[in-house]
C-alpha cells in the first residue's frame, strides 16, 4: 500500500510542498518504478436530464503538472520503505491548450499563463433538469508501477488546499449609491391620531377617506460596498430624506428601522465542450445562490433613521471564512475569480424593513457587481523565477 504523508495546506503561490511517499504492507513486490505527480486542474460538467435521456457535457483544463521518479527498478521490494519528495506551487498556470472549446468567450479567462485560481468546489441541480458541477483541484498522486506481466501495481491521491492572496493591503470599498422612494398614506401621520385610530364618528365628521389621508414621501438611501475582503467587516450606510414637496404632512414624520438582512449572491458560470459533434458552440450555464452575511431585528429598539446611519455599528457584517449555503452545509467563501472554464462572481444585497405612520415598507438595495478579495495579503513581487528554478529538472507532462 502506498501512502502520501504531507500537510494538506492551505498553500499559496510559491509554497513548498514536501513530504514522504511510504510503502506499507507485508508482501514482497516486484517494482519497476515509483513516481509522484503534482498537478492542478479545472473540471466542469453540465448534465441535462430529459424525459428520455441524459446528456453530459464536460470541460477539463490542466493548470500544471509535474512528475518525479522516486525509485527505478526492476527490483523485488519488501515494505516498509520511504522516499522523500519536494515540489513548489507555481505562480502561474502552464495550461497546454484549450482546443476542446470551440469558441472564445469574453466571460472566461483564456490566458494560458494566468495566476492559479484558489481551490474551489461547486455542485447544484435546478428544477429545469440541469445539474452544474465544477471544481478547481490540486493534488499529489503516487504510483507504484510493476514490470510487464507482474501484478500489484497501485496508486494513491492526496488533495491539497490552495489559497490565493490579494495584491492590495487595504482596498477601497468603492461605495455604490442606491435609492428608493417610499410613499406612506396613513391616519397615524396626523398628530391627533399618532397613537390611536379615529372613531367612526370622527371619520364621518372629518370626511376622511383614502384620497384625504395624510401622505409622507421619503427618499430611502443606501451606500453599499462594491469591494470586500474575506475575514473583514463591510461598511454599510442607510439614510432617509423627507420629500416635503410631495408630502402633505405638516412636518417630517419619524422613520424607524425595524429589520436588516444582508447577503451575497454568488453566481457560478461554467463552460463545457458540447458532447455533440454537430454543435458549433460551447455549453455555458450559470447558477446563483444566496449566501447570508448577517441579519438583525431592531423591532424593540425604536431606532429612528437619520439622513445617514452607519449600520456596521449596529450589526456585525464580517465576511466569515465559511458561510451557510442553501444546502445547509458550511462551505468556504471563494474569492471572485475568472479562469478557463469557471467564473465565480458576486452581488451584494440589503433587504430592509422600515416603519412610518404605523405602516411598514420593505425596500431592497442591490449592487450587482461585488468583488470579493482573498483573506491574505501579499505584497507585489514575483516568485516566478524562484519557483521555476525549484521545479527545473522535473518532467512536465503535456
Amino acid at each position: 500500500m502506498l501512502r502520501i504523508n504531507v500537510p494538506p495546506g492551505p498553500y499559496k503561490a510559491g509554497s513548498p510542498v514536501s513530504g514522504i511517499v511510504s510503502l506499507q504492507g507485508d508482501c514482497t513486490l516486484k517494482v519497476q518504478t515509483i513516481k509522484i505527480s503534482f498537478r492542478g486542474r479545472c473540471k466542469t460538467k453540465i448534465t441535462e436530464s430529459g424525459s428520455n435521456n441524459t446528456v453530459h457535457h464536460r470541460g477539463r483544463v490542466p493548470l500544471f503538472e509535474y512528475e518525479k521518479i522516486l525509485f527505478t527498478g526492476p527490483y523485488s521490494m519488501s515494505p516498509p520503505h520511504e522516499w522523500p519528495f519536494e515540489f513548489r506551487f507555481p505562480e502561474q498556470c502552464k495550461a497546454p491548450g484549450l482546443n476542446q472549446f470551440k469558441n472564445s468567450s469574453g466571460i472566461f479567462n483564456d490566458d494560458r499563463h494566468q495566476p492559479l485560481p484558489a481551490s474551489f468546489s461547486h455542485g447544484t441541480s435546478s428544477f429545469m433538469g440541469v445539474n452544474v458541477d465544477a471544481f478547481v483541484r490540486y493534488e499529489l498522486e503516487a504510483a507504484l508501477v510493476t514490470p510487464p506481466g507482474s501484478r500489484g501495481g497501485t496508486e494513491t491521491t492526496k488533495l491539497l488546499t490552495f489559497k490565493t492572496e490579494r495584491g492590495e493591503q487595504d482596498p477601497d470599498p468603492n461605495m455604490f449609491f442606491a435609492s428608493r422612494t417610499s410613499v406612506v398614506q396613513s391616519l397615524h401621520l396626523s398628530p391627533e391620531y399618532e397613537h390611536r385610530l379615529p372613531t367612526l364618528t370622527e371619520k364621518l365628521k372629518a370626511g376622511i377617506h383614502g384620497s384625504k389621508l395624510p401622505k409622507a414621501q421619503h427618499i430611502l438611501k443606501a451606500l453599499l460596498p462594491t469591494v470586500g475582503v474575506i475575514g473583514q467587516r463591510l461598511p454599510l450606510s442607510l439614510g432617509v430624506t423627507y420629500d416635503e414637496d410631495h408630502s402633505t404632512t405638516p412636518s417630517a414624520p419619524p422613520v424607524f428601522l425595524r429589520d436588516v438582512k444582508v447577503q451575497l449572491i454568488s453566481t457560478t458560470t461554467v463552460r463545457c465542450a458540447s458532447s455533440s459533434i454537430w454543435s458549433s458552440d460551447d455549453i455555458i450555464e450559470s447558477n446563483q445562490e444566496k449566501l447570508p452575511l448577517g441579519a438583525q431585528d431592531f423591532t424593540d429598539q425604536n431606532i429612528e433613521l437619520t439622513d445617514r446611519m452607519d449600520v456596521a455599528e449596529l450589526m456585525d457584517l464580517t465576511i466569515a471564512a465559511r458561510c451557510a449555503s442553501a444546502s445547509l452545509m458550511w462551505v468556504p467563501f471563494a474569492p471572485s475569480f475568472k479562469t478557463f472554464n469557471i467564473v465565480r462572481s458576486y452581488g451584494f444585497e440589503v433587504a430592509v424593513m422600515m416603519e412610518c405612520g404605523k405602516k411598514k415598507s420593505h425596500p431592497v438595495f442591490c449592487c450587482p457587481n461585488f468583488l470579493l478579495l482573498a483573506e491574505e495579503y501579499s505584497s507585489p513581487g514575483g516568485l516566478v523565477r524562484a519557483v521555476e528554478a525549484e521545479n527545473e529538472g522535473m518532467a512536465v507532462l503535456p
Side-chain angles (χ1 to χ4, degrees):
M1 177 189 296
L2 279 181
R3 289 182 179 174
I4 302 174
N5 299 309
V6 64
Y11 295 90
K12 58 184 180 180
S15 293
V17 181
S18 57
I20 293 173
V21 173
S22 61
L23 179 63
Q24 306 291 332
D26 52 9
C27 298
T28 300
L29 299 173
K30 291 183 179 181
V31 180
Q32 180 70 41
T33 304
I34 293 178
K35 58 185 179 180
I36 187 167
S37 300
F38 177 38
R39 68 172 71 98
R41 57 195 177 109
C42 296
K43 183 177 179 180
T44 53
K45 184 174 72 170
I46 298 172
T47 304
E48 298 175 334
S49 301
S51 57
N52 297 323
N53 64 339
T54 299
V55 179
H56 301 283
H57 308 282
R58 290 181 171 85
R60 299 182 180 92
V61 180
L63 303 178
F64 67 86
E65 186 159 3
Y66 301 105
E67 182 182 276
K68 275 187 174 182
I69 304 298
L70 303 178
F71 177 82
T72 301
Y75 188 81
S76 292
M77 183 178 295
S78 297
H81 284 279
E82 292 183 344
W83 298 270
F85 67 87
E86 182 168 351
F87 293 100
R88 191 175 289 270
F89 263 100
E91 284 222 340
Q92 298 176 336
C93 299
K94 294 182 175 295
L98 302 171
N99 297 332
Q100 62 184 297
F101 300 120
K102 299 180 180 180
N103 47 28
S104 178
S105 171
I107 301 175
F108 302 92
N109 185 354
D110 292 334
D111 181 3
R112 299 182 183 183
H113 303 290
Q114 62 184 273
L116 295 178
S119 297
F120 176 74
S121 180
H122 176 81
T124 61
S125 60
S126 75
F127 70 95
M128 297 297 292
V130 178
N131 292 0
V132 176
D133 297 282
F135 68 69
V136 178
R137 186 172 293 173
Y138 300 93
E139 59 192 6
L140 294 164
E141 183 181 82
L144 184 154
V145 182
T146 59
S150 300
R151 297 182 178 180
T154 185
E155 60 185 34
T156 186
T157 301
K158 185 83 169 184
L159 294 181
L160 304 177
T161 300
F162 178 79
K163 286 189 174 182
T164 54
E165 298 174 301
R166 67 182 190 278
E168 192 173 354
Q169 186 170 10
D170 298 306
D172 189 333
N174 294 329
M175 304 300 283
F176 172 83
F177 176 77
S179 64
R180 300 286 183 270
T181 299
S182 172
V183 179
V184 175
Q185 286 188 282
S186 171
L187 282 172
H188 291 290
L189 294 173
S190 300
E192 62 267 34
Y193 301 125
E194 183 177 357
H195 301 293
R196 70 176 182 88
L197 288 174
T199 65
L200 179 59
T201 302
E202 289 173 323
K203 287 183 179 181
L204 294 173
K205 184 178 179 180
I208 297 174
H209 51 81
S211 62
K212 295 289 185 70
L213 290 174
K215 183 178 78 170
Q217 182 164 308
H218 293 86
I219 306 299
L220 310 175
K221 305 172 294 183
L223 282 175
L224 315 177
T226 63
V227 178
V229 177
I230 296 174
Q232 295 187 11
R233 297 186 69 173
L234 290 172
L236 173 63
S237 294
L238 296 174
V240 62
T241 300
Y242 178 61
D243 187 352
E244 184 178 359
D245 293 337
H246 296 89
S247 302
T248 61
T249 52
S251 60
V255 178
F256 296 98
L257 182 64
R258 297 306 189 198
D259 188 84
V260 177
K261 292 182 175 65
V262 182
Q263 59 189 2
L264 291 183
I265 301 176
S266 69
T267 301
T268 304
T269 305
V270 305
R271 171 167 65 167
C272 293
S274 173
S275 60
S276 171
I277 61 174
W278 309 110
S279 175
S280 59
D281 295 315
D282 300 323
I283 307 298
I284 297 175
E285 286 285 348
S286 293
N287 176 265
Q288 285 193 339
E289 187 175 7
K290 294 184 176 182
L291 306 173
L293 289 181
Q296 188 72 46
D297 186 349
F298 300 105
T299 303
D300 298 330
Q301 300 184 38
N302 276 337
I303 297 176
E304 184 175 346
L305 268 176
T306 60
D307 181 63
R308 182 169 178 176
M309 177 178 291
D310 187 356
V311 180
E313 292 184 354
L314 303 176
M315 58 188 296
D316 185 8
L317 294 178
T318 301
I319 304 178
R322 302 176 75 84
C323 64
S325 67
S327 61
L328 302 181
M329 295 180 61
W330 287 88
V331 297
F333 262 123
S336 304
F337 73 92
K338 178 191 294 188
T339 188
F340 302 99
N341 54 342
I342 306 172
V343 175
R344 178 74 161 193
S345 58
Y346 293 92
F348 185 85
E349 181 181 279
V350 180
V352 181
M353 183 170 70
M354 300 175 174
E355 184 177 317
C356 178
K358 302 292 185 181
K359 288 197 172 183
K360 295 180 174 65
S361 59
H362 302 81
V364 177
F365 303 95
C366 298
C367 173
N369 299 309
F370 180 85
L371 180 63
L372 183 58
L373 300 177
E375 182 175 9
E376 295 190 17
Y377 162 72
S378 175
S379 59
L383 294 174
V384 177
R385 293 183 181 178
V387 172
E388 293 308 316
E390 184 80 19
N391 290 338
E392 188 175 355
M394 301 179 192
V396 180
L397 304 187

